Amino acid sequence: MTICAIIAIMTILKEAHPNKKLEVTVDGVTYTRYPVLIDVVMKGDDLTQIIKDEIGDEVQNGDMVLVAESALSAAQGRAIPVEDIHPKWLANFLTKYMTKTDAGIGASDPLTMQVVIEEVGHLRVLVAAAIAAITKPFGISGMFYRVAGEQARGVDGPADYVIPPYNRHVVRSPEKPGKWAKEVEEMLGDNIRVMVMDANDLGINILEANNKQDEKLAKALAFDNPLGQSDESTPILFCKKQ
């Protein structure tokens, strides 16, 4: 998900992004999915308070708020300028064998791979790379990230389509996303579910979901990456139960 940011202004969009649906029905219940337009999130921004201030009066019992992990990471100061990253031989070697996709750079870039190694450790990365190499000829994809884990999966690399200044940053996964989401839920009240997601055009991952039921619902609501993959500046999805 593209890094976006927040100051004190958020705008709930009343229409979906191009080629996305505004409404979806899950298990017979219809939700209207409003992308929330925001400004650039910087380190130290209180994302919890801003969400409460701006959409707290709009949410009601049964609604769900999904937040892109990249926005929370930015607020937590988890973005590293590329100038501060110095890929070593292992990062440069492994990226030669990583698959590049249209949904994001991932660990196919030496800068990103170096951060992945620092996040999860050399041994785990080596094991993940070995298993990926063994299974790839059999048409099994994605094993590197399955073995390396969510911390590795959540690292986003620099890209031209990312909003400045984060087009020149590598962004690590947020810290304790489940704990943060629970704090937002408590502030919003009225049985509002809040979750942090890592979404792109290839799929969606819910970080530290409260339970399997909520995780399943969140994935169904964000199945088509409704926040977009480029510079939409909408890292929050407000899902209103009808």
Side-chain angles (χ1 to χ4, degrees):
M1 177 64 215
T2 301
I3 289 289
C4 301
I6 291 185
I7 47 178
I9 299 176
M10 301 169 64
T11 302
I12 300 176
L13 303 183
K14 298 302 182 181
E15 60 183 15
H17 289 308
N19 303 316
K20 310 294 182 181
K21 295 180 179 180
L22 185 63
E23 293 188 347
V24 296
T25 300
V26 181
D27 295 334
V29 180
T30 298
Y31 293 81
T32 304
R33 306 180 304 172
Y34 298 111
V36 181
L37 180 68
I38 63 176
D39 243 348
V40 181
V41 170
M42 302 302 292
K43 178 181 178 180
D45 284 345
D46 190 345
L47 192 55
T48 304
Q49 188 62 47
I50 293 170
I51 290 175
K52 181 178 184 297
D53 290 345
E54 301 302 328
I55 66 175
D57 293 338
E58 301 288 338
V59 293
Q60 296 179 341
N61 184 33
D63 293 347
M64 179 174 284
V65 179
L66 299 176
V67 181
E69 54 140 10
S70 51
L72 178 57
S73 292
Q76 292 179 343
R78 302 276 290 165
I80 309 172
V82 295
E83 294 81 8
D84 295 341
I85 304 170
H86 306 287
K88 296 181 173 58
W89 72 269
L90 182 58
N92 286 306
F93 173 76
L94 291 178
T95 50
K96 297 177 182 179
Y97 303 96
M98 295 296 293
T99 301
K100 295 180 173 63
T101 72
D102 294 333
I105 292 175
S108 63
D109 175 82
L111 293 165
T112 309
M113 179 62 81
Q114 181 61 41
V115 174
V116 168
I117 293 171
E118 293 171 2
E119 283 287 286
V120 304
H122 289 76
L123 180 59
R124 188 165 183 175
V125 168
L126 284 170
V127 172
I131 293 176
I134 293 170
T135 56
K136 188 174 182 180
F138 298 98
I140 302 174
S141 61
M143 287 305 298
F144 177 84
Y145 291 109
R146 293 182 199 178
V147 177
E150 290 189 1
Q151 275 185 293
R153 186 197 305 271
V155 177
D156 291 328
D160 292 339
Y161 57 78
V162 176
I163 296 174
Y166 298 107
N167 59 330
R168 297 284 298 166
H169 286 68
V170 173
V171 184
R172 298 166 292 177
S173 295
E175 294 182 331
K176 300 180 180 178
K179 180 176 182 292
W180 176 83
K182 179 62 65 175
E183 292 173 354
V184 180
E185 287 179 347
E186 292 173 356
M187 291 185 73
L188 294 176
D190 291 331
N191 191 30
I192 308 302
R193 287 161 292 182
V194 178
M195 275 173 278
V196 180
M197 65 177 181
D198 176 13
N200 58 43
D201 289 341
L202 295 181
I204 175 175
N205 183 41
I206 304 299
L207 279 59
E208 299 181 3
N210 292 330
N211 53 64
K212 291 295 183 180
Q213 183 177 356
D214 284 352
E215 180 180 14
K216 180 181 177 181
L217 175 59
K219 287 183 175 181
L221 289 174
F223 76 98
D224 58 346
N225 194 18
L227 296 179
Q229 185 64 34
S230 186
D231 58 355
E232 291 84 357
S233 296
T234 52
I236 298 169
L237 186 68
F238 174 29
C239 303
K240 192 160 194 61
K241 185 178 179 181
Q242 301 304 305

